[in-house]
Amino acid sequence: MTLKLKMAAVQWHSRERNYSEELDSCRPERIPVEYGDYHPLKTITVTESKSKKLGRKESTSSSSSSCSSNSVADPLSSVLDGTDPLSMFAATAESVAATTDINRKKRDKEDYIGSDFEPWSSKRGEILARYTTTEKLSINLFMGSDRVGKTSTGSAVSEKVRTRLEELDDLEEGSQKELLNLTQQDYISRIEELNQSLKDAWASDQKVKALKIVIQCSKLLSDTTVIKFYPSKFVLITDILDTFGKLVYERILSMCMDNRTALPAHFTPDDVNDTAKETCLNWFFKIASIRELVPRFYVEAAILKCNKFLSRTGIPESLPRLTSMIKGIGDPLVSVYARAYLCRVGMEVAPHIKENLNQNFFDFLLTFKQIYSDTVQNQLAVQAVEIPIYLTLYSPAIDWMLRCIAYRAPDSLLTEMMGRCKKLGNNALLLNSVMSAFRAEFIAARSMDFIGMIKECDEAGFPKHLLFRSLGLNLALADPPENDRLQILNEAWKVITKLKIPQDYINCAEVWVEYTCRHFTKREVNTILADVIKHMTPDRAFEEAYPQLQSIITKVIAHFHDFSVLFSVEKFLPFMDMFQKESIRVEVCKCIMEAFIKHQQEVTKDPVILNALLHVCKTMHDSVNALTLEDEKRTLAHLINGFIRMVSFGRDFEQQLSFYVEARALFCNLEPVLVQLIHIT
């Protein structure tokens, strides 16, 4: 009993415990952390240290440290496989924003230049074909050194420097060779050789020689000794400038490769490394040292796109400066083509900067009177060039400038341009370019205004028939107000019918035939065809105008699908009689038969149609001979069979059989036609 009481006393007086202290002692040690380094979802990065084992103690320490680091794990990071959902969301948002920005820039550029903008390349062939000469031409060739130094490894750098110094010595006057008495074809061949020499020099790392070739070619644009060939010369020389600009741009772009990664499509100067920027600046410094204005302008304009590597504002700042440089060019023809080239380059690299395009043209208007200056008149007298021919040399350049300005421009701007051109004296040249470059709908809506301006133009300057031709081209694409249509035709034809030169007449008549077919009846069309026959029959003038005559008959057929109406036009068949050349005549007949098969919906027995088409088919059949190709025979047979199938006299079997007998006699040389007739009889 005593023992039990003592044990109970011991249990009653047990040791007291401080649970708060014990809880604190069990907690992990608190380490102060900088606020900027702390993030609850930040992934723990473990770095394994590797050191050279100098002794047992150092080895143990390193091992324990590594083990301790690896033992620490972030449960959130382990579950999420090291990815933070908030960071992922932010990264996705940034990526979407960047993509949106790129797409916006791309869309903005596409908004300025779309597929509806006619590029310069479409004008190239037309200019070369139109502006030709039979006079002798001259050209200065660069006879630079073609040596390529074979260097040893140790002296490669010094040898390269010495080679470039030797090339610079070749830039003296003695390194040029002037070729005289070149025909137009020889001149074009020499220019093509220079273009290839430029590429070869660039490929062989002779950059100084390449630059010299471009400079010498640019100097040719200052020469107007054979002035009628200047537009074609401009096209040929600017081809070389385009090649040079492309080579320089691609060279600098290739230097921006970092770890074999190309620059993004819409890169900024911040993405370009210092080496590429230094090379780009070097090119601009070289060009700035060119002493003559014309080559310095053209060569810098050719590499204008390279400003993208240097500054965001490089191109917007360079365009006004280059525009001002053109003011120093004295010859108005050379000046206007320089402005055209700047507009062309500007539309390629910065189409959204419309202000510079407008200013470029306004500057031209301020100097427009120079075209009629005494200096120009003396130059034309020496070369025996008349002022109307001289003014047409400006058309490609002015047309292109106005086309760039008018592209997607509001009507208010076009009206302002039209008003400025109207205020100038002797403005027929500008008026023609306005009608060639502005939207057809804009011109058609103001047709009577343009006719009034055409009447006020000086006949001794730019030919009026060219103005009416330009107006007619617009009216073929867009309709004028209905109440003005007949008056427009009368005003135009009063001028056209008075033309004495057959080629001038037919060039205008070809355009206005389509306008007549679109808006008037067969009576007006018959009147136009009769007038064409009257002008083109004397002295067999039609033999020199087959393309235009063929175009006229194609347009008439395209607008008259009812062949009973077409063949009732009194002058249609006499018009066809002007096609005396067999090959052209057969092509016209094929065009008529194709239209008949395509548009004739019901069988016919109309004697007017049958007699006319039998004559047309007989013409095609009689062109077949022993040298005719089988494909041609099949084509002709297909057209004739198509006509035969569309002839039906209903229950008048005797008349039907008589037609088949006549057809069998007319088309006996085409076996597929005979087979067709046998099957249907």
Side-chain angles (χ1 to χ4, degrees):
M1 184 68 178
T2 305
L3 180 61
K4 291 181 179 180
L5 290 173
K6 287 182 179 179
M7 291 179 64
V10 171
Q11 291 177 354
W12 183 259
H13 298 284
S14 60
R15 181 175 59 86
E16 294 183 3
R17 300 175 61 182
N18 191 338
Y19 291 100
S20 299
E21 285 187 10
E22 292 181 14
L23 181 60
D24 291 338
S25 64
C26 293
R27 285 176 177 170
E29 183 180 1
R30 296 181 180 179
I31 300 175
V33 179
E34 294 292 335
Y35 177 75
D37 296 335
Y38 174 72
H39 190 284
L41 298 179
K42 186 176 181 180
T43 305
I44 296 178
T45 303
V46 179
T47 304
E48 183 178 357
S49 61
K50 295 183 180 180
S51 59
K52 189 175 180 180
K53 297 182 180 180
L54 299 176
R56 181 178 179 88
K57 185 175 181 180
E58 183 178 347
S59 176
T60 305
S61 173
S62 175
S63 177
S64 62
S65 173
S66 179
C67 183
S68 173
S69 298
N70 288 328
S71 64
V72 180
D74 180 5
L76 292 177
S77 296
S78 62
V79 171
L80 297 173
D81 194 21
T83 55
D84 174 10
L86 297 179
S87 299
M88 288 175 60
F89 178 78
T92 304
E94 291 176 1
S95 176
V96 170
T99 305
T100 303
D101 185 57
I102 292 175
N103 291 336
R104 180 182 57 78
K105 291 180 179 179
K106 185 177 180 181
R107 185 172 61 253
D108 289 345
K109 186 174 182 180
E110 291 175 351
D111 288 342
Y112 286 109
I113 299 295
S115 58
D116 56 334
F117 181 74
E118 189 176 8
W120 171 260
S121 56
S122 64
K123 302 289 184 185
R124 184 182 183 279
E126 178 186 344
I127 295 174
L128 290 175
R130 180 180 177 185
Y131 297 96
T132 59
T133 183
T134 56
E135 298 182 44
K136 298 300 181 181
L137 302 162
S138 64
I139 187 173
N140 288 326
L141 288 180
F142 169 57
M143 308 299 292
S145 173
D146 294 326
R147 53 184 172 271
V148 179
K150 297 181 179 180
T151 61
S152 61
T153 306
S155 61
V157 177
S158 59
E159 186 66 22
K160 185 175 181 180
V161 172
R162 184 154 55 87
T163 302
R164 291 199 173 183
L165 289 174
E166 291 173 353
E167 290 178 349
L168 287 172
D169 292 338
D170 287 332
L171 304 189
E172 300 297 329
E173 293 298 327
S175 65
Q176 301 177 30
K177 179 181 178 182
E178 185 175 11
L179 300 180
L180 303 174
N181 298 323
L182 297 176
T183 64
Q184 177 180 321
Q185 189 56 46
D186 292 338
Y187 188 91
I188 294 174
S189 300
R190 294 293 184 182
I191 294 296
E192 291 174 352
E193 289 176 10
L194 284 173
N195 201 353
Q196 187 59 45
S197 298
L198 169 64
K199 296 177 183 177
D200 294 341
W202 192 273
S204 60
D205 202 27
Q206 300 183 59
K207 303 297 189 296
V208 175
K209 179 180 178 181
L211 179 60
K212 181 58 180 177
I213 292 173
V214 175
I215 294 173
Q216 291 297 325
C217 291
S218 301
K219 287 182 179 180
L220 296 175
L221 292 175
S222 303
D223 180 22
T224 57
T225 50
V226 184
I227 201 165
K228 290 192 290 187
F229 186 67
Y230 191 86
S232 293
K233 181 195 291 189
F234 171 80
V235 170
L236 297 171
I237 299 301
T238 51
D239 285 347
I240 296 179
L241 289 165
D242 294 341
T243 300
F244 176 72
K246 183 179 179 182
L247 290 173
V248 174
Y249 183 84
E250 291 178 350
R251 160 76 171 167
I252 299 173
L253 187 64
S254 65
M255 299 178 68
C256 298
M257 302 281 285
D258 188 13
N259 296 328
R260 298 184 180 180
T261 301
L263 286 177
H266 300 281
F267 66 88
T268 64
D270 298 334
D271 301 322
V272 181
N273 57 44
D274 293 339
T275 303
K277 287 183 178 180
E278 183 179 355
T279 303
C280 186
L281 276 173
N282 188 30
W283 276 110
F284 281 107
F285 290 154
K286 286 179 181 177
I287 294 169
S289 64
I290 300 174
R291 287 174 293 180
E292 297 184 33
L293 175 60
V294 172
R296 184 167 74 247
F297 164 79
Y298 273 104
V299 179
E300 182 177 352
I303 67 167
L304 180 65
K305 188 177 179 181
C306 295
N307 279 287
K308 293 172 59 178
F309 298 107
L310 300 176
S311 170
R312 296 175 186 269
T313 60
I315 293 176
E317 291 174 354
S318 297
L319 282 171
R321 179 173 53 80
L322 290 171
T323 302
S324 299
M325 286 174 62
I326 300 175
K327 296 178 181 179
I329 300 176
D331 192 304
L333 186 64
V334 177
S335 173
V336 74
Y337 275 93
R339 296 186 187 280
Y341 185 70
L342 186 59
C343 288
R344 174 179 153 194
V345 174
M347 287 296 287
E348 292 177 0
V349 301
H352 56 284
I353 307 179
K354 288 284 190 177
E355 296 80 6
N356 185 74
L357 295 174
N358 299 343
Q359 186 60 46
N360 200 357
F361 185 73
F362 291 154
D363 289 347
F364 164 72
L365 293 181
L366 293 175
T367 59
F368 181 72
K369 62 180 70 174
Q370 292 181 353
I371 295 177
Y372 302 94
S373 63
D374 293 339
T375 303
V376 172
Q377 297 296 329
N378 294 336
Q379 184 183 18
L380 298 181
V382 171
Q383 300 191 38
V385 177
E386 297 178 356
I387 189 67
I389 301 297
Y390 174 69
L391 291 177
T392 59
L393 302 179
Y394 285 81
S395 294
I398 301 176
D399 289 355
W400 178 256
M401 284 195 292
L402 285 171
R403 191 176 299 276
C404 294
I405 293 172
Y407 180 66
R408 297 186 180 179
D411 285 355
S412 58
L413 177 61
L414 301 185
T415 304
E416 180 187 357
M417 290 288 182
M418 179 179 165
R420 292 201 179 201
C421 295
K422 186 177 180 180
K423 291 178 181 178
L424 294 173
N426 297 323
N427 62 351
L429 172 64
L430 293 175
L431 186 59
N432 185 70
S433 294
V434 166
M435 290 189 290
S436 300
F438 284 12
R439 291 190 295 270
E441 296 79 9
F442 180 88
I443 303 297
R446 300 160 178 80
S447 300
M448 294 307 301
D449 293 337
F450 278 97
I451 287 179
M453 288 187 285
I454 292 173
K455 287 182 176 180
E456 295 174 1
C457 291
D458 184 8
E459 184 67 32
F462 199 86
K464 280 189 178 181
H465 69 269
L466 293 182
L467 298 176
F468 276 106
R469 185 178 189 276
S470 297
L471 179 60
L473 289 172
N474 284 281
L475 297 181
L477 300 174
D479 298 334
E482 187 173 357
N483 296 334
D484 298 336
R485 291 174 183 175
L486 182 58
Q487 186 179 356
I488 291 171
L489 179 61
N490 291 333
E491 292 290 346
W493 207 257
K494 280 193 297 186
V495 175
I496 296 172
T497 194
K498 293 179 182 178
L499 295 174
K500 303 299 182 183
I501 302 176
Q503 198 63 39
D504 292 343
Y505 170 84
I506 196 63
N507 286 336
C508 292
E510 173 199 359
V511 173
W512 283 91
V513 161
E514 183 164 4
Y515 173 79
T516 308
C517 292
R518 281 168 62 95
H519 301 296
F520 301 98
T521 64
K522 70 174 186 178
R523 184 172 66 88
E524 289 80 9
V525 173
N526 188 67
T527 303
I528 298 294
L529 294 181
D531 196 63
V532 173
I533 295 171
K534 176 184 175 182
H535 280 80
M536 302 307 295
T537 302
D539 299 326
R540 300 179 67 85
F542 56 80
E543 293 182 346
E544 302 297 327
Y546 281 139
Q548 292 87 347
L549 295 174
Q550 192 173 357
S551 174
I552 288 175
I553 205 164
T554 302
K555 292 172 181 177
V556 173
I557 295 170
H559 287 87
F560 286 87
H561 297 162
D562 187 344
F563 281 79
S564 62
V565 175
L566 176 64
F567 291 124
S568 65
V569 176
E570 182 182 353
K571 296 298 181 180
F572 182 77
L573 292 179
F575 186 89
M576 285 189 60
D577 291 338
M578 287 194 296
F579 295 98
Q580 300 290 319
K581 189 176 181 180
E582 185 181 19
S583 60
I584 302 295
R585 188 179 183 87
V586 171
E587 287 299 320
V588 171
C589 291
K590 287 166 64 176
C591 181
I592 294 173
M593 292 309 304
E594 288 171 356
F596 176 79
I597 294 173
K598 180 179 180 181
H599 298 293
Q600 185 69 25
Q601 301 296 329
E602 299 178 353
V603 294
T604 181
K605 61 179 181 179
D606 188 331
V608 175
I609 296 178
L610 296 185
N611 290 333
L613 291 185
L614 278 173
H615 173 71
V616 170
C617 291
K618 184 67 167 59
T619 302
M620 294 192 300
H621 171 270
D622 292 347
S623 68
V624 176
N625 54 44
L627 299 178
T628 305
L629 298 176
E630 290 298 324
D631 286 346
E632 180 68 10
K633 290 181 181 180
R634 280 194 293 269
T635 300
L636 297 178
H638 170 73
L639 294 174
I640 295 174
N641 284 337
F643 162 62
I644 292 173
R645 284 193 295 268
M646 297 302 296
V647 177
S648 175
F649 290 89
R651 299 186 64 83
D652 190 349
F653 300 115
E654 184 177 350
Q655 191 71 23
Q656 187 80 38
L657 185 59
S658 176
F659 170 77
Y660 289 152
V661 171
E662 183 182 4
R664 188 167 183 176
L666 291 174
F667 311 130
C668 58
N669 291 333
L670 288 173
E671 184 177 350
V673 178
L674 297 178
V675 172
Q676 171 80 5
L677 290 169
I678 291 172
H679 278 262
I680 62 179
T681 51

